[in-house]
Amino acid sequence: MKAIYQTRREDFMHSDSCPYLTILYSGKAPVRSADETYRFSVERNFYYMTGIDLENAVLVMIRESDTKVYSNLYLNLRDEETAKWIGGSPSSEELKRISGIEHIYPINLWKSHIHRYLCSHSFRPSVGLNLWRCRFDDEPTQAHQLSSWIRTMYPEAKIQNIFPSLAKARLIKSDDELEKMKIAQDTTKNALEELYAYVRPEMNECEIEGIFDFSLRKQGVKETAFPSIVAGGMRATTLHYSENNHLVHDNELVLLDLGSTHQHYCADISRTFPINGKFTERQKQLYNIVLEAQNRVIEAAVPGITLLELNDIVIEYYQTALKEIGLLENGKSVKDYYYHGVSHPLGLDTHDISLPELEKLVPGMVITVEPGLYVTEEGIGIRIEDDILITTDSAVNLSSNIAKKPEDIELLMSKSLI
Ligand SMILES: [Mn+2]
């Protein structure tokens, strides 16, 4: 049977305007201090094409013909001496089995190999590199450095940025990817239920975060999708609050924005709950407005609609709902209480690879739906976030098992573990 990654590479290399040669790096762990590095996190496009989670590796894909794609993997398998210090690496048989790549070579050979491809053809070779950078002042990546090297050494070669093609490919999730995303949902659900049964007033946010992490570890999950947000009371009105080190007092709400992973596929869930296990009437009133906004967006999430249009649904509903409860007085408008987008693509990255022109829903896409409401004058921040699969019919809520009705959350919180 063909490895799924082999089919993926073939589909990618045969897609429209794909270059003759494509190179992806797995990346390496950044230096932390002295001889320490941060934990390695594989470059997701490399992982998407190989299923291999090792640093300092290079994938070279070559489109030999309209039907044939050659893939070479370059990396150093650890020798016995290195293994004594940091453990062994998977065997080349294991790497071949996972990735479907037949040709595995030591890393020092890869530039001499591409030299052959770049020099031995009558046509002008095109080389695909991922030249994307998040911010204009980010350091050049290995791909940028390679691009400069190729431009100098092989001026006849044509460099092509494959970021748009990668975004298009990763946007639509295969069944295999959806399976992994569902597992990340399940472990998130279990950890949240454990958290609900454990929390108490006067608990520190970092302890609450610790319960979530501990539950994930018990389920064999080492990696969260992103640093968890655990924000009590007023702090929940800071969208990307990251301190997680304050006590949460009786009668306050806690906003959680967190997620588990499975083989790097992310869950991204927000839930808001009362630290003492019981919503006040006012908290419930505000909470139900957010919940209703979320339901409306999920219902509208069908192919053809844009992420911006989904956000307009929230704003339009809030115009009426917030007015009814007296929040839109004294010159206040919806944007004083809601100031972010409702949705982003989700996958191997939490804010998954995307392009502005791809922000129109198509079947197979997974997006978050996360309206919020931030009432600073009352010290209340609420966000409810689920992960949604777009299909040709109605949207499928991948997080539907994770409690979100106030009464369901209260029930889980009444099951005390201590
Ligand atoms: Mn999100």
Side-chain angles (χ1 to χ4, degrees):
M1 199 186 80
K2 251 190 204 177
I4 49 168
Y5 300 100
Q6 191 178 343
T7 310
R8 203 170 273 176
R9 289 189 299 274
E10 286 170 356
D11 289 348
F12 181 78
M13 291 300 283
H14 289 128
S15 61
D16 287 349
S17 69
C18 208
Y20 162 69
L21 185 82
T22 291
I23 300 165
L24 288 170
Y25 289 92
S26 73
K28 54 184 171 186
V31 172
R32 183 176 166 187
S33 183
D35 63 347
E36 265 190 69
T37 58
Y38 288 100
R39 193 190 288 257
F40 170 67
S41 188
V42 68
E43 202 280 323
R44 298 299 192 264
N45 298 302
F46 173 92
Y47 184 77
Y48 179 77
M49 293 294 179
T50 61
I52 288 172
D53 196 348
L54 291 173
E55 60 186 312
N56 295 321
V58 177
L59 170 70
V60 176
M61 297 185 277
I62 303 128
R63 184 161 40 81
E64 281 276 299
S65 68
D66 284 349
T67 52
K68 218 168 185 183
V69 171
Y70 267 32
S71 299
N72 293 346
L73 182 67
Y74 299 87
L75 78 171
N76 282 345
L77 296 175
R78 291 178 194 153
D79 58 26
E80 272 179 35
E81 207 40 49
T82 314
K84 283 181 191 165
W85 286 81
I86 54 173
S89 47
S91 65
S92 41
E93 283 65 40
E94 178 71 357
L95 296 175
K96 284 177 188 173
R97 189 188 61 74
I98 296 168
S99 65
I101 297 174
E102 279 300 316
H103 316 284
I104 300 182
Y105 301 102
I107 191 92
N108 61 341
L109 291 180
W110 82 271
K111 278 192 176 169
S112 67
H113 281 190
I114 64 163
H115 169 77
R116 269 192 278 150
Y117 290 107
L118 291 175
C119 279
S120 56
H121 290 281
S122 52
F123 58 85
R124 189 182 176 209
S126 52
V127 181
L129 298 171
N130 176 15
L131 297 176
W132 185 78
R133 272 183 305 160
C134 185
R135 286 156 289 260
F136 84 96
D137 55 351
D138 281 352
E139 293 292 313
T141 64
Q142 286 175 292
H144 290 102
Q145 291 166 11
L146 182 66
S147 164
S148 305
W149 182 75
I150 292 175
R151 277 180 218 277
T152 309
M153 304 302 287
Y154 306 92
E156 70 283 9
K158 181 173 163 260
I159 303 283
Q160 189 178 325
N161 181 12
I162 55 163
F163 178 80
S165 310
L166 290 167
K168 271 184 208 145
R170 281 177 52 186
L171 186 76
I172 312 294
K173 270 60 184 179
S174 63
D175 290 347
D176 164 77
E177 291 180 287
L178 290 171
E179 274 311 306
K180 291 171 183 167
M181 293 187 83
K182 279 181 200 149
I183 295 171
Q185 295 287 329
D186 289 344
T187 49
T188 305
K189 170 188 183 278
N190 295 337
L192 275 174
E193 290 185 358
E194 193 157 348
L195 181 155
Y196 285 141
Y198 189 87
V199 292
R200 292 288 174 277
E202 304 310 316
M203 196 173 265
N204 193 301
E205 292 158 348
C206 72
E207 186 177 352
I208 300 173
E209 180 182 8
I211 304 157
F212 182 74
D213 290 346
F214 181 49
S215 177
L216 289 189
R217 301 295 176 276
K218 284 195 284 183
Q219 299 176 76
V221 180
K222 276 179 76 179
E223 177 191 54
T224 54
F226 52 92
S228 304
I229 295 171
V230 182
M234 183 65 151
R235 295 174 297 284
T237 63
T238 303
L239 299 182
H240 287 170
Y241 173 74
S242 60
E243 285 177 49
N244 296 5
N245 62 354
H246 287 82
L247 295 182
V248 185
H249 303 303
D250 201 8
N251 290 320
E252 285 186 327
L253 289 178
V254 182
L255 188 156
L256 304 172
D257 190 340
L258 37 71
S260 177
T261 57
H262 183 72
Q263 294 181 11
H264 300 305
Y265 283 88
C266 301
D268 182 6
I269 300 295
S270 297
R271 288 291 183 268
T272 308
F273 65 92
I275 190 73
N276 64 10
K278 199 87 192 136
F279 285 89
T280 65
E281 281 311 308
R282 177 62 170 172
Q283 288 168 346
K284 205 184 282 183
Q285 183 182 43
L286 296 171
Y287 187 95
N288 282 329
I289 288 173
V290 183
L291 197 54
E292 174 61 20
Q294 199 208 27
N295 286 334
R296 288 180 182 216
V297 173
I298 294 173
E299 230 160 75
V302 293
I305 198 165
T306 66
L307 299 189
L308 265 178
E309 286 165 341
L310 290 181
N311 203 34
D312 289 343
I313 293 171
V314 180
I315 294 167
E316 202 176 300
Y317 170 63
Y318 278 1
Q319 294 284 9
T320 322
L322 301 191
K323 197 167 188 185
E324 270 173 20
I325 60 163
L327 281 182
L328 301 187
E329 280 158 20
N330 306 320
K332 293 258 186 176
S333 67
V334 169
K335 69 176 186 308
D336 291 308
Y337 298 104
Y338 173 60
Y339 31 84
H340 57 81
V342 75
S343 195
H344 58 81
L346 181 74
L348 279 172
D349 287 298
T350 304
H351 293 164
D352 212 28
I353 180 171
S354 188
L355 291 169
E357 64 262 33
L358 297 179
E359 296 197 336
K360 192 177 233 182
L361 302 189
V362 286
M365 219 175 148
V366 175
I367 59 163
T368 64
V369 175
E370 47 180 314
L373 188 60
Y374 311 96
V375 188
T376 39
E377 55 269 36
E378 298 180 41
I380 289 179
I382 297 167
R383 187 159 61 248
I384 308 171
E385 175 177 25
D386 282 341
D387 303 333
I388 305 294
L389 167 67
I390 306 305
T391 74
T392 44
D393 308 316
S394 52
V396 177
N397 188 343
L398 303 177
S399 330
S400 58
N401 289 336
I402 303 179
K404 67 178 172 184
K405 285 188 192 147
E407 55 273 25
D408 292 342
I409 291 175
E410 285 176 352
L411 182 67
L412 287 169
M413 294 191 72
S414 68
K415 292 176 185 164
S416 171
L417 282 184
I418 46 173

